[in-house]
Amino acid sequence: MQGVFRMALGIGMLTALAGCGRDTAQCEQNPEVARVAAPVHMESLIQPFFQIKNPADAQQFLNAHPRFADQFLQRRQFPSDNLLDQRLTQLATNAGLQKLARETEAAFKDTAALRQQLHQAFQHVRYEFPDFRVPPVNLFVSGLSQDVFVNDSLLVLGLDFFVGPKASYRPNVPEYILRRYTPAHVLPTVMQAVSTKYNQRLAGSPTMLSEMVQFGKALYFTEKMLPCTSDSLLIGYTSRELEGLQYNEAKVWGHFIEKNLLYSTTPFVIQKYVGERPNTPEIDRTAPGRVGAWLGWQIVRKYMAEHPNVSLKQLMAEKDAQRILTQSKYRPKKR
């Protein structure tokens, strides 16, 4: 397979589905989804936070935003509010963080557009899962400590993570992860986080296959919530990387079969194929990391194509990865 993978990347300009995998050019919202109520109550805490000048101001901030203080700042884990007040004051008066906050507000100047994007995504969630309640949304500059926090009662977006390459300070992660921290990646990151609420799995030691399908279900959930978003944005690959995988899909799958990887329970082996890495040299030095997650996505897509009557809710509740693989009849064709 060495060399063949690289040649496929070289003909990327001939690939009709470059950077995508789905036709998003004519994307229109389903009228039934558009009628779903999903109000988004969004509040930016960036300016209120940076108005803190002393511990007394910090205490007022905490009291004004108790849910944020309790859940995101983990207020109750501090021995006293005095310690948290001092810590917040240090952060809010830090010149570097203040600069990053200004850059964050400039990058996300149009908060109405962000609210609308969240609204449309949550309409899709509530269409598929009517019991889902849209949590209130807080925008924040976390000091690059947390990108997204979500539970049933609160969603916090650490927008300083997503300012992009022009930011004065960026997350301390490798470049192949860093490129997923841009404004365009906010919604995919949020929806993958939301997917964990519904993504069921079998208890016990995971196998390579179960991890692949678990990631595949999360990505499939995200694409259904964001039908106008390209595959490259959803998974965080470059268009070139995605083209190479699409062209070599059968060869990548063949590697998993030939090496008897699907039922491996060795954590180190599993992580080599589904964990964060710049590439997957076991397949080819140009193959991106997280190849197993991408393959799991293709398996789930094939399963849903073979079973059009299966709802997204039923898919996410399915714990048996082997059943999904078997019933998907997944067998990519060689090129």
Side-chain angles (χ1 to χ4, degrees):
M1 185 168 170
Q2 298 285 333
V4 177
F5 206 95
R6 291 190 290 277
M7 181 179 71
L9 292 175
I11 64 169
M13 295 301 294
L14 302 179
T15 306
L17 300 179
C20 181
R22 292 172 294 131
D23 183 9
T24 61
Q26 302 297 323
C27 180
E28 294 182 3
Q29 189 174 26
N30 181 336
E32 293 184 12
V33 174
R35 289 193 291 269
V36 174
V40 175
H41 302 286
M42 189 170 79
E43 180 182 9
S44 176
L45 302 186
I46 298 174
Q47 289 193 18
F49 177 74
F50 285 96
Q51 288 173 358
I52 294 174
K53 304 302 179 186
N54 52 56
D57 292 342
Q59 186 64 46
Q60 289 182 354
F61 176 83
L62 293 175
N63 293 339
H65 309 285
R67 182 179 299 173
F68 177 83
D70 290 343
Q71 298 187 27
F72 183 75
L73 297 179
Q74 299 291 298
R75 181 181 194 173
R76 295 174 184 175
Q77 291 190 9
F78 287 80
S80 70
D81 272 1
N82 289 337
L83 292 176
L84 179 55
D85 291 342
Q86 291 172 14
R87 178 58 179 154
L88 294 181
T89 302
Q90 291 172 351
L91 291 171
T93 57
N94 179 279
L97 192 55
Q98 290 173 345
K99 181 179 182 181
L100 182 57
R102 291 192 294 271
E103 294 170 346
T104 300
E105 290 193 302
F108 293 93
K109 189 179 303 182
D110 191 354
T111 55
L114 177 58
R115 179 188 282 107
Q116 179 61 18
Q117 292 166 1
L118 287 167
H119 170 67
Q120 292 179 346
F122 284 132
Q123 282 183 307
H124 282 89
V125 177
R126 295 205 68 244
Y127 178 76
E128 299 286 354
F129 302 89
D131 62 336
F132 177 80
R133 293 187 177 184
V134 179
V137 181
N138 288 162
L139 309 181
F140 194 58
V141 169
S142 71
L144 300 176
S145 64
Q146 189 164 0
D147 52 4
V148 170
F149 169 92
V150 63
N151 61 23
D152 290 339
S153 57
L154 183 65
L155 168 60
V156 179
L157 304 182
L159 293 182
D160 47 330
F161 271 84
F162 299 95
V163 174
K166 294 184 179 180
S168 298
Y169 305 95
R170 302 209 67 197
N172 185 24
V173 296
E175 179 61 33
Y176 64 92
I177 299 177
L178 198 60
R179 67 185 182 217
R180 306 204 295 265
Y181 282 124
T182 72
H185 290 90
V186 171
L187 268 293
T189 305
V190 171
M191 287 300 111
Q192 287 201 43
V194 171
S195 77
T196 61
K197 177 179 175 66
Y198 301 104
N199 200 354
Q200 301 297 308
R201 66 190 308 161
L202 287 172
S205 299
T207 64
M208 179 77 75
L209 177 61
S210 70
E211 289 296 281
M212 290 166 61
V213 170
Q214 192 74 6
F215 279 107
K217 290 197 295 176
L219 287 162
Y220 188 82
F221 176 98
T222 303
E223 79 169 79
K224 292 304 176 184
M225 301 306 113
L226 303 171
C228 299
T229 301
S230 68
D231 285 5
S232 56
L233 275 177
L234 293 177
I235 196 169
Y237 286 159
T238 65
S239 295
R240 191 175 179 86
E241 288 172 335
L242 192 57
E243 291 162 20
L245 286 177
Q246 290 168 341
Y247 189 89
N248 290 284
E249 183 174 356
K251 295 181 176 66
V252 174
W253 176 243
H255 174 86
F256 280 76
I257 300 302
E258 292 164 11
K259 302 296 183 181
N260 297 313
L261 293 173
L262 291 183
Y263 305 106
S264 173
T265 57
T266 306
F268 176 73
V269 174
I270 294 172
Q271 279 299 109
K272 286 201 297 184
Y273 291 93
V274 301
E276 295 285 5
R277 297 175 78 191
N279 60 1
T280 310
E282 292 79 7
I283 297 177
D284 187 278
R285 65 179 180 82
T286 61
R290 298 177 294 134
V291 164
W294 180 82
L295 265 185
W297 190 11
Q298 310 319 304
I299 291 168
V300 170
R301 282 174 160 175
K302 185 65 164 57
Y303 171 79
M304 293 301 282
E306 291 287 332
H307 300 83
N309 294 325
V310 172
S311 69
L312 181 60
K313 186 174 184 178
Q314 291 172 321
L315 168 69
M316 300 304 286
E318 177 57 73
K319 300 179 180 180
D320 191 337
Q322 183 62 57
R323 180 181 300 165
I324 289 176
L325 173 61
T326 301
Q327 295 187 7
S328 72
K329 303 176 184 177
Y330 179 72
R331 187 174 296 177
K333 295 180 180 178
K334 294 183 180 180
R335 301 201 185 197

